[in-house]
Amino acid sequence: MNVLVINCGSSSLKYQLINSDTENVLAKGLCERIGIDGRLVYQKAGLDKEITEADMPTHKQAIQMVLDALVNEKTGAIASLAEIDAVGHRVVHGGEKFAASTILTDEVLAAIEECNDLAPLHNPANLIGINACKELMPNTPMVGVFDTAFHQTMPKKAYLYGIPYEYYEKYKVRRYGFHGTSHSFVSKRCAEFLGMDINHSKIIVAHLGNGASVSAVKDGKCVDTSMGLTPLEGLVMGTRSGDLDPSILEFIAQKENLTLPEVMDILNKKSGVQGMSRVSSDFRDLEAAYDEGNELAINACEVFAYRVAKYIGSYVAAMNGVDAIAFTAGIGENTSFIRAMILEYLGYLGITMDAEANKARGVDTIISTPDSKVKVCIIPTNEELAICRETVALL
Ligand code: AMP
């Protein structure tokens, strides 16, 4: 079966065509600057990337260009669109309505639209992508895979906030968590890689990318996660603040004469390690600045690692123990000095790091020593493959 995986944002769209039998990627790429000017990146497996600058006023036109590239006579990955058996769509917010992936019927689309309030930047864009695909491929089954679904197993004590209960009743204000597809994929792969029975396991997944979150997975089910109603809560991220005293919003708004949306914009886009370091949100730049002794970059890296370590510690308490910790995503898979900084705090768990193994990048690797009481590993995430698998499983 060939599955087209679509991750549609407000002005960009990532895609992969995956053969679900071999799990090989047949072609992949992205559309950027949709509605601005437009650029298509397309890469058939084994060939170089092709970049085409072309007008893409709407998402429908962007997807049409992707489909044209996939069936292109010279560099296409398939002969005709009939070879696309299904489309798997990433959907950011499924609220409390979706605890699992689902076939995208008209009723389901209406229910997703009802969650738009909870993710105003993401869900409308996801829906635009779904509707464009439906128009262009009306007979191809479509599946929605939700970032929030994996976390729906959290108990009330983990998802309720300490605010008047009416806000949960009226508006469903609660912790939802994100990166669920990644936390699910990585926790399963971690158990498999370590030869553990996932149904009797306590795993902490640290998904450390530009957006970052930690989750506690007990017996294969998420019991807590660091992101909340929105992806702003939890860890210090590339440009997001993560946890802070809510009073800071009012304080900064008054001092700087800013509106609430303006303060929110700062917390989402100008904070995190970028705001702290004044260097970059990218850990490759931060590592270089750290090595040069840049004080603000050192602060940012230390605050980032300390926050991750504190979350891991709290999730050991939440699960009354931990068997394995898995690092994933851009920083988790590649940035060894940050992993080492985090693990330094966790000696009390009987964790010892294998410094040589910790040099690994982007491959399943155990980075704890054989006598470490808790296994620590790198598990590369693959959200597209996870979406492909979910799509096939559902169909
Ligand atoms: P992500 O959001 O998962 O793509 O992660 C992006 C973060 O991973 C950035 O801070 C990058 O600096 C960091 N990173 C470090 N090394 C690499 C690498 N070799 N490839 C991709 N991202 C990397």
Side-chain angles (χ1 to χ4, degrees):
M1 208 170 149
N2 291 331
V3 179
L4 179 62
V5 175
I6 299 271
N7 180 354
C8 190
S10 53
S11 68
S12 69
L13 180 157
K14 290 189 205 142
Y15 64 92
Q16 282 194 7
L17 183 66
I18 302 175
N19 178 320
S20 65
D21 303 319
T22 59
E23 299 200 333
N24 287 336
V25 176
L26 306 177
K28 64 178 180 182
L30 72 156
C31 299
E32 290 173 299
R33 303 178 59 81
I34 303 168
I36 304 166
D37 36 31
R39 165 207 265 237
L40 170 75
V41 180
Y42 172 80
Q43 186 173 28
K44 184 185 171 180
L47 296 184
D48 288 339
K49 261 186 202 164
E50 292 170 29
I51 297 176
T52 316
E53 312 281 344
D55 260 3
M56 267 177 216
T58 67
H59 286 75
K60 191 172 163 193
Q61 275 142 318
I63 292 170
Q64 183 65 63
M65 287 188 69
V66 171
L67 298 178
D68 289 346
L70 288 171
V71 299
N72 179 286
E73 265 187 17
K74 278 194 199 140
T75 54
I78 47 176
S80 83
L81 293 185
E83 290 179 42
I84 299 177
D85 300 294
V87 184
H89 291 271
R90 174 184 184 219
V91 182
V92 167
H93 218 307
E96 287 188 331
K97 293 178 202 287
F98 299 102
S101 305
T102 180
I103 295 180
L104 294 169
T105 60
D106 289 344
E107 298 75 60
V108 166
L109 291 185
I112 295 175
E113 203 171 336
E114 282 171 27
C115 302
N116 279 3
D117 258 9
L118 295 168
L121 295 178
H122 295 102
N123 268 31
N126 299 154
L127 282 167
I128 289 171
I130 294 166
N131 286 321
C133 282
K134 281 195 138 197
E135 278 183 49
L136 294 168
M137 292 179 276
N139 300 317
T140 311
M142 312 262 160
V143 168
V145 179
F146 299 88
D147 263 22
T148 48
F150 181 62
H151 304 303
Q152 278 295 305
T153 48
M154 278 188 289
K156 267 198 167 166
K157 64 185 175 188
Y159 72 68
L160 287 180
Y161 288 115
I163 56 175
Y165 194 65
E166 64 186 274
Y167 300 129
Y168 172 63
E169 289 177 312
K170 286 203 279 192
Y171 312 119
K172 296 285 175 228
V173 174
R174 52 160 283 179
R175 175 183 312 287
Y176 289 97
F178 297 86
H179 297 139
T181 314
S182 176
H183 286 287
S184 166
F185 178 90
V186 170
S187 55
K188 286 187 185 74
R189 176 69 194 132
C190 173
E192 184 186 65
F193 179 60
L194 297 175
M196 288 161 41
D197 173 5
I198 188 132
N199 297 315
H200 296 93
S201 66
K202 295 172 180 174
I203 298 174
I204 293 175
V205 177
H207 175 113
L208 309 179
N210 198 30
S213 63
V214 185
S215 68
V217 184
K218 189 162 182 265
D219 304 336
K221 295 196 171 69
C222 176
V223 294
D224 208 343
T225 191
S226 59
M227 282 179 168
L229 174 76
T230 74
L232 184 56
E233 193 182 348
L235 302 179
V236 176
M237 306 180 215
T239 63
R240 291 178 221 149
S241 63
D243 297 339
L244 39 75
D245 178 347
S247 307
I248 292 173
L249 276 80
E250 188 191 23
F251 189 85
I252 293 178
Q254 280 180 356
K255 292 283 181 199
E256 297 272 317
N257 198 20
L258 296 173
T259 63
L260 190 54
E262 285 168 339
V263 178
M264 292 309 296
D265 199 58
I266 290 170
L267 297 183
N268 273 299
K269 298 188 186 148
K270 296 181 184 145
S271 299
V273 289
Q274 173 170 294
M276 290 191 69
S277 69
R278 296 192 183 133
V279 172
S280 170
S281 63
D282 191 306
F283 271 77
R284 286 166 284 200
D285 303 329
L286 285 169
E287 184 168 10
Y290 183 99
D291 289 342
E292 282 164 13
N294 178 316
E295 194 189 328
L296 296 190
I298 293 170
N299 290 344
C301 292
E302 287 183 346
V303 169
F304 178 88
Y306 180 60
R307 180 77 56 90
V308 177
K310 286 206 295 184
Y311 262 98
I312 291 175
S314 69
Y315 289 167
V316 175
M319 296 193 288
N320 193 15
V322 61
D323 301 317
I325 298 171
F327 286 102
T328 195
I331 302 156
E333 292 169 28
N334 295 293
T335 313
S336 54
F337 88 107
I338 291 289
R339 286 193 301 257
M341 270 168 101
I342 295 166
L343 292 175
E344 257 181 43
Y345 292 103
L346 303 177
Y348 74 99
L349 294 172
I351 290 178
T352 44
M353 190 187 79
D354 178 337
E356 197 51 39
N358 187 44
K359 290 179 184 161
R361 277 169 180 268
V363 279
D364 292 339
T365 312
I366 298 176
I367 60 169
S368 49
T369 58
D371 59 348
S372 177
K373 294 227 171 67
V374 178
K375 295 253 182 289
V376 184
C377 48
I378 301 169
I379 302 286
T381 191
N382 191 338
E383 290 171 273
E384 290 79 13
L385 179 58
I387 292 173
C388 169
R389 286 181 183 166
E390 287 276 311
T391 302
V392 173
L394 209 70
L395 293 173

